[in-house]
Amino acid sequence: MSEERLKRLAEAAGLSIDWVDADGREQRVKPEALRAVLHGLGLDADSDDAVERSLEKLHIDGGASDLPPLLTLDQSAVLNLQHYCEPDTRYSLELEDGQHLEGALDAQARLAPIDIPGYHRLQIAGHQLTLAVAPPACPSVTDLAGPGAWGITVQLYGLRRAGDGGLGDTLALEAFAHHAAAHGADALGISPVHAMFAANGGQFSPYSPSSRLFYNVLHSAPEAILGDMPLRIAIEACGLGDELQRMEKLELIDWPGVAKARQCLLRTLYENFSKGENAQQADFDSFCAAGGQALENHCRFEAMHAALLGPSGHPQHWRDWPEQYRTPQNPAVERFAQEHANEVAYHAFCQWLIARGLERAQTAARSAGMKIGLISDLAVGADGGGSQTWSRQEEVLAALSVGAPPDILNRAGQNWGISAFSPWGLKANGYRAFIEMVRANLAHAGGMRIDHVMGLMRLWVMPEGADPEEGAYLNYPFDDLLRLLTLEAWRHKAVILGEDLGTVPSGLREKLAARHILGMRVLLFEQDDNARFKPAREWPKDALATTTTHDLPTLGGWWRGQDIDWRIRAGQNSEAERQKQIAERDRERSGLNEALRPYAPDSADVPPGELLDAESAIRAGACFIGHTPAPLVLLPLEDALGLEEQPNLPGIVETHPNWRRRYPGDSATLLDHPDSSRRLRCLADARRKVAGDEQR
């Protein structure tokens, strides 16, 4: 087989043959891996003839001269349409604000610059399309919050309040927002609240959702919307008083138990809500109307996912459903929805409760004085068997899984088992799925963190179930996605953060910075090969600063080597490697110790060369990142509280309690412990100093 033609096909399909790994080494994808990934893209490459047919298919599919449904451009930039139209072609342009413009393309078939950002309608040469005109940049943190901004990141599920029934909810989030604002926080980053599977309470990783368009209904606090009495009636009807109290006292979340209890409560609440007149009916009807077909499809999916069980009696992948239900446009789906109208409406009711709860939480954060408020977290993909992939099949890569090659975060690479968008599907459908997803995640927030932001430029994809080394990078229309993201952030007056850890492609950080999209720098990573940690003043001005992330040890856990013990206990590392890892940690700890000493309380009492105690190191860590020139500092709640355990241990499912840890105290008073207050005071003082230095 001709490897040259295989390479030609791979490049035409948007795959990168050659790439540079996290250690700066050049890598090349093996031919067998290329063929497997191409097959997942729907392109046969098993023989020379097959390669030629696939090249012809790409030429036919990608070479059409018809105008696409949406084109992006920058504000005040010319748009070259020579591939689609002749010079001097007449056009009609309707701007988003109602203005109507007539004109003709110039001698180079270019459209005159458009000075107003927005989604505008262009009619030209018998075609009608949308022009998405992006402003130069997203709102910056400084634009919205001024210099020296800081905030806290929190795992929403872990928050506590009296009566929460064992899981963090939007009322606990409201209380914590007020609490954090009182300590001076400008922002509150929360873990993803994407929709999960109502019929499968055992699937709860927030980064493997059913849909990134809707919300996890288990986090709703129905009493905040409906009042206390309906909830008390539902608890009694379900006989859940003792069970809710039991789960509320647990240190680790009982996700299946919580899901079962809350679904009973929500169903009872819906049944009572739908029986008669109530003050919120008009708001619910308005919510459903605004949600449109996207909301209807999600609710239909939930109803079918619970009803179309597999041979074992459990929910199954939608590709295993009877054929007539595998596409939302099939008339059989409409008939199912009519026959199960009450069930579909129930799921809409649940979405209404959580959406209004998140709206209340953002209002509470801003009203309490936060200048940004909630920062949502956008997962990099969605479960291939979920609502979003079923609803948007043309725009999703169903046969490929997303992950990462071996990098500094995971030397074995990662297969996340989730699906991502199809570059061609997005273009062919006017980027509908991307736009609606961004809007959904900015709807009730003042900012959005994009997990694995490199996915806007490229994603490491591999056949389902394959090892990470069997993958390849698939390139995305980065400039288009960046313009759309900028436009939506501008419309929502929201900041955008990008998690750029791992294998970062050349030029990505510069393009993000030009759009005021902040990257991320983590204290534990800011060191060289000699364990010399970068001084605070040398940190970049185009990235947020933080001590750690949900996938890494807490500062206290790292200082004490807790993560080393966990990885051996969980089987990721062997007992024989313990001493080597402890020695390496001692070396790194000494390096960090030197960087933190100037920010540690009473460090003068610690002889040179001796280590700070853990409490001093944690407090110094908060103070250290506060002194960086980062426009935004986000301190994880785990480090604000001085906790040892991390929320998630990547690559481990059974032996580590991922996404189950609850915080040790009520969300309304959680930060009031003297140690926590001192850490936050040190951070706030440092940020005020940085702000003062910038203003001078």
Side-chain angles (χ1 to χ4, degrees):
M1 178 183 292
S2 170
E3 287 198 15
E4 197 58 39
R5 297 302 286 169
L6 176 64
K7 180 181 177 183
R8 172 75 184 89
L9 174 61
E11 291 174 342
L15 297 174
S16 293
I17 312 295
D18 299 297
W19 57 284
V20 179
D21 67 16
D23 295 313
R25 298 173 302 191
E26 294 184 357
Q27 302 285 350
R28 170 163 287 198
V29 182
K30 297 176 182 177
E32 54 268 29
L34 278 181
R35 282 192 288 271
V37 172
L38 285 166
H39 183 74
L41 294 172
L43 299 169
D44 189 359
D46 289 339
S47 66
D48 288 338
D49 288 343
V51 168
E52 296 306 318
R53 287 194 298 271
S54 292
L55 279 167
E56 290 176 10
K57 178 181 179 182
L58 281 179
H59 177 73
I60 293 170
D61 292 346
S65 59
D66 284 349
L67 282 158
L70 181 145
L71 289 172
T72 71
L73 66 155
D74 290 311
Q75 182 180 356
S76 303
V78 295
L79 177 64
N80 193 325
L81 294 173
Q82 64 179 354
H83 294 299
Y84 309 105
C85 302
E86 297 295 324
D88 302 319
T89 302
R90 299 290 302 176
Y91 66 81
S92 173
L93 180 64
E94 183 178 350
L95 300 183
E96 197 177 76
D97 64 5
Q99 292 185 61
H100 193 82
L101 305 174
E102 301 282 342
L105 303 181
D106 67 13
Q108 285 78 45
R110 297 179 304 180
L111 185 74
I114 301 173
D115 295 329
I116 302 174
Y119 294 96
H120 311 308
R121 297 297 296 166
L122 176 67
Q123 292 190 42
I124 188 169
H127 296 277
Q128 188 175 94
L129 67 150
T130 298
L131 296 182
V133 179
C138 305
S140 71
V141 169
T142 305
D143 290 338
L144 298 183
W150 68 275
I152 295 173
T153 59
V154 62
Q155 303 300 310
L156 171 58
Y157 56 81
L159 289 175
R160 291 181 184 269
R161 68 173 180 88
D164 64 28
L167 184 70
D169 60 20
T170 57
L171 270 180
L173 183 60
E174 277 189 51
F176 188 74
H178 276 288
H179 185 43
H183 281 268
D186 298 302
L188 180 57
I190 62 173
S191 51
V193 289
H194 303 317
M196 302 306 290
F197 297 83
N200 185 4
Q203 185 168 340
F204 50 83
S205 168
Y207 292 95
S208 298
S210 172
S211 176
R212 295 171 291 172
L213 298 180
F214 299 100
Y215 307 114
N216 185 342
V217 302
L218 300 184
H219 291 307
S220 68
E223 62 268 47
I225 311 302
L226 303 174
D228 291 330
M229 184 57 71
L231 181 62
R232 285 201 293 269
I233 293 172
I235 291 173
E236 185 175 344
C238 290
L240 284 172
D242 292 341
E243 174 67 355
L244 295 177
Q245 290 183 26
R246 178 192 72 81
M247 292 190 294
E248 191 171 324
K249 295 174 183 176
L250 298 177
E251 292 186 9
L252 297 176
I253 296 166
D254 176 1
W255 279 102
V258 165
K260 181 179 178 182
R262 294 205 174 191
Q263 289 292 348
C264 181
L265 293 176
L266 289 168
R267 286 186 180 279
T268 304
L269 287 166
Y270 171 67
E271 289 169 5
N272 294 336
F273 179 87
S274 60
K275 283 178 182 176
E277 295 183 5
N278 54 72
Q280 298 95 346
Q281 185 66 51
D283 185 57
F284 175 52
D285 293 341
S286 174
F287 172 82
C288 292
Q293 192 60 49
L295 175 63
E296 178 70 17
N297 282 345
H298 175 73
C299 296
R300 290 177 177 184
F301 174 90
E302 286 279 57
M304 289 191 291
H305 190 242
L308 304 175
L309 303 178
S312 63
H314 295 102
Q316 56 185 341
H317 197 294
W318 56 263
R319 286 202 295 265
D320 297 322
W321 291 352
E323 188 172 355
Q324 68 268 31
Y325 298 126
R326 294 178 194 168
T327 54
Q329 297 81 17
N330 194 301
V333 174
E334 176 68 32
R335 289 194 297 272
F336 180 96
Q338 292 175 358
E339 293 167 2
H340 300 81
N342 196 59
E343 183 72 4
V344 173
Y346 160 68
H347 290 291
F349 171 80
C350 294
Q351 285 297 322
W352 170 63
L353 290 178
I354 180 63
R356 292 295 184 252
L358 290 169
E359 184 178 41
R360 277 181 48 128
Q362 171 63 356
T363 299
R366 294 299 302 275
S367 299
M370 285 193 183
K371 296 171 183 174
I372 295 172
L374 302 184
I375 297 177
S376 63
D377 197 343
L378 177 64
V380 68
D383 190 296
S387 157
Q388 192 173 12
T389 56
W390 177 77
S391 300
R392 296 288 183 245
Q393 292 176 43
E394 294 179 357
E395 294 146 276
V396 172
L397 298 171
L400 292 175
S401 178
V402 175
D407 58 26
I408 58 175
L409 293 178
N410 194 315
R411 288 298 177 184
Q414 299 176 71
N415 184 337
W416 299 325
I418 52 177
S419 298
F421 289 130
S422 159
W424 316 286
L426 287 175
K427 289 181 181 179
N429 290 277
Y431 295 93
R432 170 189 60 179
F434 180 78
I435 294 169
E436 67 182 0
M437 180 187 71
V438 171
R439 287 176 177 172
N441 287 274
L442 288 176
H444 310 302
M448 179 174 69
R449 170 194 178 272
I450 302 176
D451 191 45
H452 195 75
V453 73
M454 291 82 79
L456 296 175
M457 179 180 277
R458 67 182 191 183
L459 278 174
W460 188 259
V461 296
M462 66 211 84
E464 284 187 298
D467 291 332
E469 61 266 24
E470 297 174 43
Y473 275 117
L474 175 65
N475 297 300
Y476 281 77
F478 184 43
D479 289 334
D480 286 336
L481 296 179
L482 210 50
R483 290 188 186 110
L484 291 168
L485 180 61
T486 303
L487 176 54
E488 288 299 326
W490 174 79
R491 287 160 69 94
H492 287 85
K493 297 181 175 60
V495 299
I496 304 296
L497 317 176
E499 186 262 303
D500 56 347
L501 305 176
T503 307
V504 182
S506 175
L508 177 129
R509 284 175 170 162
E510 291 76 10
K511 284 203 169 189
L512 294 181
R515 295 278 181 176
H516 293 168
I517 298 173
L518 293 184
M520 175 184 291
R521 298 297 176 271
V522 181
L523 177 59
L524 297 179
F525 287 162
E526 291 301 299
Q527 58 172 306
D528 61 20
D529 292 339
N530 296 315
R532 176 189 177 272
F533 281 77
K534 184 180 294 184
R537 64 181 179 276
E538 295 180 12
W539 282 42
K541 295 182 179 181
D542 55 9
L544 70 90
T546 186
T547 49
T548 188
T549 77
H550 57 258
D551 286 333
L552 296 172
T554 65
L555 192 51
W558 185 90
W559 198 263
R560 298 180 178 97
Q562 181 84 349
D563 57 309
I564 295 175
D565 292 336
W566 260 116
R567 292 190 181 280
I568 292 173
R569 195 187 321 172
Q572 277 193 338
N573 296 324
S574 67
E575 182 64 42
E577 297 174 290
R578 183 187 294 273
Q579 291 308 313
K580 179 182 177 182
Q581 291 179 352
I582 289 176
E584 176 62 18
R585 180 60 51 83
D586 287 344
R587 189 174 76 93
E588 290 183 313
R589 191 189 294 108
S590 294
L592 183 55
N593 189 69
E594 288 306 304
L596 294 183
R597 281 180 67 94
Y599 307 95
D602 305 320
S603 61
D605 298 335
V606 181
E610 285 195 18
L611 291 178
L612 301 169
D613 61 71
E615 167 55 31
S616 295
I618 295 167
R619 182 173 166 190
C623 193
F624 177 98
I625 61 171
H627 279 90
T628 67
L632 176 65
V633 167
L634 293 176
L635 181 67
L637 181 55
E638 287 76 14
D639 282 349
L641 300 177
L643 303 180
E644 287 193 11
E645 302 289 4
Q646 65 195 80
N648 179 52
L649 190 61
I652 299 297
V653 178
E654 300 296 335
T655 50
H656 184 271
N658 292 343
W659 318 119
R660 295 182 60 200
R661 300 192 187 281
R662 304 207 73 190
Y663 294 114
D666 190 279
S667 60
T669 57
L670 197 51
L671 301 170
D672 288 342
H673 187 280
D675 289 341
S676 298
S677 294
R678 278 192 290 269
R679 294 173 196 126
L680 294 182
R681 211 163 34 242
C682 195
L683 170 58
D685 289 344
R687 297 309 288 164
R688 278 192 289 272
K689 182 178 184 305
V690 168
D693 291 343
E694 288 184 12
Q695 291 171 341
R696 278 197 288 272

